[in-house]
Amino acid sequence: MEKTVRVHDRDFDILINKSEIQKRIKELGEAISVHYQKKTTPVIISVLHGAVIFSSDLVREISIPVEMDFVRIKSYSGLESTGKVLMTQQWERKLKDREVLIVEDIIDTGSSIDFLKKKIEKAGALDVKIATLLFKPQPFKYEYSIDWIGFEIGRKFVVGFGLDYDGIGRNLPAIYQLKTT
Ligand code: IMP
Ligand code: MG
């Protein structure tokens, strides 16, 4: 695994390696399975494109039946959150009275997840929970807690394992953080 990578015009250093990520995803999958074991089949809604890598590994560590759905959300431009959230692709299933688990790559300010959580609640979901691979506790601006977190990280911009910098970096097998000098 590379210790540093270059994406567009920036250098990034390794932050979390592949085996640490896999180990953590296994633990999350087990915890999620235990939680939903005695409930109705949950709908897992993955947020495109970022969460596609994490969610495809995560669902294979979940031992109970689940349904999968997808939404597409945009809020970031380059290295910064724009604060404006748009849903450019809707889920397909009927969510009324369903247990929903949103799967995200990263929660930063929380605007995206809050926007999506409210929309799903409005659609009549019985319960909405959140699982994210990465969480930045400092910029997060909401009061509620996130149900399942892979890793808490600092404020620095990261790429890899689904996360991109202007479209590039999603296929990196580990998480890399922006080198600042
Ligand atoms: P939030 O709305 O500020 O929580 O931002 C969440 C979304 O912004 C995530 O789903 C990512 O798509 C993107 N994002 C936030 N932080 C980063 C980062 O460090 N690297 C890459 N994308 C990020
Ligand atoms: Mg995202």
Side-chain angles (χ1 to χ4, degrees):
M1 210 169 340
E2 305 295 332
K3 283 256 180 297
T4 65
V5 293
R6 193 164 177 85
V7 180
H8 294 303
D9 54 342
R10 305 283 183 137
D11 291 314
F12 293 81
D13 289 319
I14 186 117
L15 180 66
I16 310 168
N17 71 39
K18 196 174 166 178
S19 59
E20 289 175 283
I21 300 171
Q22 297 307 346
K23 182 170 167 263
R24 188 69 188 121
I25 292 178
K26 203 167 169 21
E27 292 168 357
L28 294 175
E30 280 164 16
I32 290 167
S33 306
V34 168
H35 174 82
Y36 288 106
Q37 219 156 30
K38 296 205 175 100
K39 301 186 187 292
T40 55
T41 304
V43 182
I44 292 186
I45 299 189
S46 305
V47 183
L48 297 170
H49 302 327
V52 75
I53 310 279
F54 171 49
S55 68
S56 57
D57 281 356
L58 181 66
V59 293
R60 285 176 289 176
E61 300 294 347
I62 295 177
S63 56
I64 50 136
V66 298
E67 288 177 25
M68 291 179 74
D69 213 324
F70 298 89
V71 294
R72 184 165 298 171
I73 276 184
K74 277 189 188 144
S75 70
Y76 248 64
S77 172
L79 299 163
E80 312 248 339
S81 175
T82 61
K84 277 176 280 166
V85 188
L86 285 176
M87 179 154 67
T88 58
Q89 186 186 314
Q90 259 252 24
W91 58 81
E92 283 183 352
R93 283 178 170 57
K94 286 209 169 60
L95 299 183
K96 185 154 169 46
D97 299 327
R98 298 297 308 267
E99 307 223 29
V100 176
L101 173 62
I102 306 173
V103 176
E104 253 292 26
D105 53 355
I106 188 165
I107 297 175
D108 183 65
T109 63
S111 311
S112 307
I113 202 75
D114 187 65
F115 166 89
L116 184 56
K117 185 170 148 37
K118 288 196 175 119
K119 265 201 182 294
I120 293 172
E121 282 165 355
K122 254 196 174 158
L126 188 67
D127 181 63
V128 183
K129 296 223 167 338
I130 301 165
T132 187
L133 178 61
L134 303 172
F135 179 54
K136 294 179 178 170
Q138 292 148 343
F140 187 65
K141 59 183 184 192
Y142 297 89
E143 291 304 312
Y144 48 86
S145 58
I146 304 302
D147 304 282
W148 292 284
I149 294 170
F151 303 90
E152 288 196 359
I153 61 170
R155 320 182 69 109
K156 281 188 188 167
F157 190 81
V158 292
V159 294
F161 217 84
L163 292 128
D164 72 306
Y165 166 32
D166 269 347
I168 305 295
R170 296 195 197 275
N171 60 320
L172 292 165
I175 307 284
Y176 292 85
Q177 119 181 327
L178 185 65
K179 194 180 256 183
T180 39
T181 45

